[in-house]
Amino acid sequence: IRRQRQMCIRDRTHSGTGPEAPEVYVNAHTGTILQVLDTNVYADGNVYEINPTADPTVVTRELLNLTSTTGLEGTYAIAYACTAPDGGNMCPGRTRNAAPDGDGHYLFSPDEPSLVDPFSEVMGYYHLDLINRHMEDVYGHVYTCDGHRWMDIQVNMDYENAWFGDQDDDGCRDLTMGQSTQDFTYDSAIVYHEFGHGINSTYCELRRTFDTVGPIYDGAGINEAFADYWAATLHDRPVIGEYAGMGEPGELGFRDLSDHAVCPDDLYGESHYDSPIVSSTMWDIRSTLGQDKTDGLSLAILAALTDRPSIDEAGRTAQSQAAALEATGLLTATDVAAVDAAVIDHGLIGCEHIV
């Protein structure tokens, strides 16, 4: 008996609306589907849903979009740990402390302030995957670098800070998460904030500039403002660094977008300190328009800004883009009036930098 061969087409696709990644075999002659294979890797991991201050309960969640059975590598995120500092380089190399158990899961317990804490790697993977996937699925914002959609995150850096930049010199910027008493990766808003810089940079670099007197930090402050906005809007929590920003007793967070900031009263000439003028404006707009409209407006503003904008430009761009979105039917006249009112109330129009 001779079995007849069939010519088939293999297609691996992603729906764009969920974690499914089927590999489909189709008869090239008839178009009949011969076989559908699930190519996903399924694993659970222990995480904080938001941060230990918001809820100290460790929960078990599915780690979506994994593509590896041996490490935290996926479609939207790859997690590593920093090696020990080398001179001034706080994260000179990368390693992995999180390996799956015999059932393929990552069920670690928090081990803070250890610098070899696998729980931190799981937190980094889970929350970076979550926001990267959310921005693609909901708003069509596709992060890409060198032909792939994932962003690297390295955790357990022995330094009290976090940043967005090309730590490993591979040409793609990534997230580097540090710690002191608090592990910054335990606070999901810090992961979202640093990824927020990646969202911003897709549209414009938002950097400081100089005039004859000295540096102008408006552009960098606007960058920090929208990074904070992306961190706050995902979970509807306006405090950035609820856990990572704890310092003196009673101190909570690095910045609170619900605190009303206005130019020139809250202008200091440093990007992080100046950022609430814009971020609290966007949060006030969100309180009226809701998340979906304000997230969409934020993307439209970023797409229209120059690389070194002033706060005045940010305010006028918010107004012009709101009017443009009204013309498309995405915003109403009432929405546009609310945007105008917030921009004026926070003093963005005519805001001049200080030295």
Side-chain angles (χ1 to χ4, degrees), residues 217-268:
Y217 288 96
D218 285 20
I222 294 166
N223 197 343
E224 295 297 336
F226 278 102
D228 276 355
Y229 177 79
W230 298 122
T233 190
L234 186 61
H235 285 315
D236 192 25
R237 301 182 73 87
V239 177
I240 306 302
E242 279 181 294
Y243 179 68
M246 291 193 305
E248 298 298 323
E251 184 180 3
L252 181 64
F254 297 119
R255 292 173 294 280
D256 185 345
L257 276 63
S258 65
D259 287 343
H260 188 274
V262 61
C263 180
D265 297 357
D266 297 294
L267 198 61
Y268 296 92

Side-chain angles (χ1 to χ4, degrees), residues 314-348:
R316 295 182 188 279
T317 302
Q319 292 176 319
S320 64
Q321 290 305 304
L325 290 175
E326 180 190 9
T328 66
L330 295 177
L331 295 184
T332 66
T334 302
D335 295 333
V336 174
V339 173
D340 288 341
V343 165
I344 294 169
D345 183 46
H346 288 263
L348 272 62

Side-chain angles (χ1 to χ4, degrees), residues 50-341:
I50 298 176
N51 64 64
T53 299
D55 187 348
T57 306
V58 174
V59 296
T60 302
R61 293 288 181 262
E62 184 178 352
L63 303 176
L64 298 176
N65 306 299
L66 283 170
T67 57
S68 170
T69 58
T70 59
L72 292 168
E73 299 182 19
T75 305
Y76 297 99
I78 299 180
Y80 300 92
C82 289
T83 57
D86 180 12
N89 191 339
M90 296 294 101
C91 187
R94 306 192 300 191
T95 186
R96 285 199 170 118
N97 298 312
D101 62 22
D103 295 319
H105 302 305
Y106 297 83
L107 305 177
F108 302 102
S109 298
D111 190 19
E112 190 182 46
S114 170
L115 294 174
V116 287
D117 177 11
F119 178 86
S120 188
E121 287 176 59
V122 181
M123 279 288 293
Y125 178 87
Y126 176 79
H127 287 288
L128 179 53
D129 167 85
L130 191 156
I131 190 169
N132 197 350
R133 173 168 39 88
H134 168 79
M135 292 303 298
E136 179 175 319
D137 289 349
V138 177
Y139 299 110
H141 171 86
V142 180
Y143 169 82
T144 59
C145 184
D146 197 26
H148 59 72
R149 291 186 291 175
W150 71 76
M151 185 180 288
D152 292 348
I153 181 170
Q154 40 267 346
V155 305
N156 292 151
M157 176 178 62
D158 190 13
Y159 185 65
E160 191 178 4
N161 207 337
W163 54 70
F164 169 71
D166 186 6
Q167 184 67 29
D168 58 349
D169 296 322
D170 67 349
C172 293
R173 288 182 281 190
D174 37 60
L175 311 188
T176 303
M177 309 295 293
Q179 63 188 75
S180 58
T181 305
Q182 291 87 27
D183 186 330
F184 282 26
T185 318
Y186 284 21
D187 195 328
S188 63
I190 306 302
V191 177
Y192 303 156
H193 170 93
E194 299 305 337
F195 182 78
H197 285 302
I199 297 172
N200 299 346
S201 68
T202 302
Y203 300 95
C204 51
E205 286 297 328
L206 297 176
R207 297 171 176 170
R208 68 178 181 174
T209 188
F210 296 85
D211 63 10
T212 56
V213 179
I216 303 173
Y217 288 96
D218 285 20
I222 294 166
N223 197 343
E224 295 297 336
F226 278 102
D228 276 355
Y229 177 79
W230 298 122
T233 190
L234 186 61
H235 285 315
D236 192 25
R237 301 182 73 87
V239 177
I240 306 302
E242 279 181 294
Y243 179 68
M246 291 193 305
E248 298 298 323
E251 184 180 3
L252 181 64
F254 297 119
R255 292 173 294 280
D256 185 345
L257 276 63
S258 65
D259 287 343
H260 188 274
V262 61
C263 180
D265 297 357
D266 297 294
L267 198 61
Y268 296 92
E270 195 281 330
S271 58
H272 296 85
Y273 291 133
D274 293 348
S275 66
I277 296 171
V278 174
S279 61
S280 65
T281 302
M282 298 309 300
W283 197 254
D284 279 358
I285 292 171
R286 186 183 186 276
S287 69
T288 302
L289 273 61
Q291 177 181 354
D292 291 344
K293 288 182 177 180
T294 311
D295 288 2
L297 173 62
S298 297
L299 291 173
I301 293 170
L302 289 169
L305 285 174
T306 61
D307 282 345
R308 292 169 175 79
S310 65
I311 292 176
D312 174 81
E313 180 186 332
R316 295 182 188 279
T317 302
Q319 292 176 319
S320 64
Q321 290 305 304
L325 290 175
E326 180 190 9
T328 66
L330 295 177
L331 295 184
T332 66
T334 302
D335 295 333
V336 174
V339 173
D340 288 341

Side-chain angles (χ1 to χ4, degrees), residues 37-59:
L37 300 177
D38 186 353
T39 62
N40 275 323
V41 176
Y42 292 95
D44 293 335
N46 285 346
V47 297
Y48 291 118
E49 197 74 80
I50 298 176
N51 64 64
T53 299
D55 187 348
T57 306
V58 174
V59 296

